[in-house]
Amino acid sequence: METIHKTRKVTAKIPEPSLELKRLQVFVGKWLVEGQNFAGASIAPNTDFTGIQTYDWFPGNFYMVGKWDRQFNEEEHIGIGMYGFNEEAQEFYLTTYDNWGHERIFSIDSYRHIWKFTSRNERGTIIFSADEQTFIEDWEIFKEFSWQPLSTIKCTKLK
């Protein structure tokens, strides 16, 4: 990510990012997206989609920025998210915004190669392959008093 003041010298002691944040490194890169929305999706239900997702460290390495751009027939879903780690709660989190007007805040649990995202109305599980070159995302939405399948996504690392 490019910054405005590249030559400014910093004299203050800058804190170090948490060691936990390094676990997010598995996401960093550019990923090819292939997926399918299910009947629970409010936009483009029962539709296949493709796209790109990118993840990169925000300067300072305290946060990771994720961006997505997905194509659903004539629809486009674009969004951005900021990943971080809450030292006090000892928990990862993600806040997202998209071109459909959605803002979501997820708490994240992780164990080895499995990441679980939970918000008030959506939840998802991401499972990385052993070589960390692919991952599968399965998402659900809370509708009509129950959790329903929302989408499934396969991401393959491009770089």
Side-chain angles (χ1 to χ4, degrees):
M1 175 174 258
E2 200 166 332
T3 60
I4 297 171
H5 304 287
K6 290 185 178 188
T7 59
R8 183 186 317 176
K9 293 187 181 191
V10 177
T11 57
K13 173 83 170 123
I14 298 174
E16 291 290 319
S18 162
L19 290 176
E20 285 293 321
L21 284 165
K22 292 181 179 184
R23 295 187 54 221
L24 290 169
Q25 184 65 30
V26 68
F27 287 95
V28 172
K30 186 174 186 178
W31 301 81
L32 175 66
V33 173
E34 300 172 285
Q36 179 184 20
N37 269 356
F38 299 122
S42 59
I43 298 176
N46 299 313
T47 303
D48 291 339
F49 58 88
T50 59
I52 297 290
Q53 290 180 186
T54 60
Y55 300 90
D56 200 4
W57 289 105
F58 189 76
N61 294 340
F62 288 94
Y63 303 97
M64 187 178 65
V65 178
K67 299 177 184 176
W68 69 88
D69 186 345
R70 299 176 186 153
Q71 307 297 314
F72 303 80
N73 297 332
E74 303 300 316
E75 298 290 335
E76 185 172 45
H77 189 203
I78 301 169
I80 188 167
M82 187 75 76
Y83 293 74
F85 185 74
N86 181 318
E87 291 283 344
E88 193 172 306
Q90 289 293 296
E91 179 178 81
F92 289 98
Y93 61 88
L94 166 64
T95 303
T96 66
Y97 307 90
D98 68 24
N99 65 314
W100 295 345
H102 299 128
E103 174 187 346
R104 293 188 176 83
I105 300 170
F106 294 90
S107 60
I108 305 171
D109 290 319
S110 67
Y111 181 73
R112 297 189 184 187
H113 60 282
I114 300 170
W115 296 77
K116 293 186 175 267
F117 296 72
T118 305
S119 74
R120 191 170 60 92
N121 294 322
E122 288 187 13
R123 64 185 183 188
T125 301
I126 294 177
I127 302 175
F128 279 87
S129 62
D131 65 2
E132 300 178 348
Q133 297 303 298
T134 61
F135 63 85
I136 303 294
E137 298 183 38
D138 286 310
W139 289 91
E140 295 177 305
I141 189 166
F142 194 76
K143 282 174 89 171
E144 301 171 12
F145 308 105
S146 67
W147 288 102
Q148 300 176 21
L150 176 61
S151 64
T152 188
I153 304 166
K154 178 181 180 184
C155 297
T156 305
K157 196 164 200 172
L158 296 173
K159 62 177 183 173

